[in-house]
Amino acid sequence: MKFVFCSFCTNATNRKGFTLLELLVVVMIIGLLTSIAVPQYNRSVRRAEMMEGLSHGKTIYDAALRYKSVNGEGPTNFNQLDIGFAGATINGSSFVDGNFTYILYPAQKKVTVQSNVGGYRLDMLFPTVSSTGVSAPILCCPNRGDKNAEWLCKTSSGGATASGGCYEIK
């Protein structure tokens, strides 16, 4: 004759739950995976944001080059370009659209895309002709002290440093 004193005794065949140690191990594994995945996700989001700004800035840059080829000199404001900006309020040579501020610098012959959420700007310089050929660099310039923006600019450029702490995007 066998007597059972409790229904939750430590008999291995009657065990229906997890021990506290097993739950702690699972929580630690999930925490470790999260600590690796979240920074990588944030970097991917910042890189996608930068590519969005680069794409829009390149469209503006190309329109400015078309204007220059037709008129002999670069545009002085965005209203002169042959492209539209849906939903954006254009204030002469600058406007804000989403996460970026777009600025046209006629004197410096460049279009700048300033990130409003990241710590960097993209400078797209108009082409210059020299004895070595035509140069039209696109520069990624991180704000001072922003290590994430510096990483973003450096990896987008392949590490090629240009003047003033900027990186030339290739």
Side-chain angles (χ1 to χ4, degrees):
M1 208 176 208
K2 189 174 181 183
F3 294 102
V4 177
F5 296 106
C6 65
S7 62
F8 55 89
C9 296
T10 59
N11 187 349
T13 59
N14 291 334
R15 206 169 106 184
K16 292 183 172 51
F18 297 104
T19 66
L20 182 61
L21 182 61
E22 290 170 330
L23 290 174
L24 285 174
V25 168
V26 168
V27 168
M28 283 179 31
I29 290 171
I30 291 172
L32 181 64
L33 292 174
T34 303
S35 69
I36 293 169
V38 168
Q40 291 300 324
Y41 173 75
N42 289 339
R43 285 183 172 183
S44 296
V45 167
R46 287 193 78 182
R47 184 178 294 271
E49 174 207 290
M50 181 182 180
M51 291 300 123
E52 175 192 358
L54 184 60
S55 173
H56 293 167
K58 188 83 169 91
T59 301
I60 294 167
Y61 175 79
D62 290 341
L65 291 180
R66 283 193 303 273
Y67 181 89
K68 184 178 180 186
S69 69
V70 169
N71 298 300
E73 59 184 35
T76 56
N77 64 62
F78 287 113
N79 296 322
Q80 296 171 317
L81 301 181
D82 61 357
I83 57 174
F85 307 99
T89 303
I90 299 172
N91 182 15
S93 62
S94 69
F95 71 95
V96 177
D97 184 27
N99 295 330
F100 301 97
T101 300
Y102 300 91
I103 307 165
L104 180 63
Y105 292 105
Q108 290 96 357
K109 298 179 181 167
K110 69 178 180 178
V111 173
T112 294
V113 180
Q114 177 71 47
S115 173
N116 298 332
V117 292
Y120 63 90
R121 75 176 193 277
L122 301 170
D123 289 336
M124 298 172 197
L125 307 175
F126 288 3
T128 55
V129 180
S130 67
S131 60
T132 59
V134 178
S135 172
I138 298 174
L139 305 175
C140 183
C141 306
N143 293 349
R144 292 187 189 273
D146 190 337
K147 294 295 181 189
N148 288 329
E150 186 174 337
W151 169 86
L152 185 63
C153 288
K154 189 179 269 189
T155 56
S156 297
S157 68
T161 304
S163 63
C166 296
Y167 299 88
E168 185 173 348
I169 295 177
K170 303 220 183 235

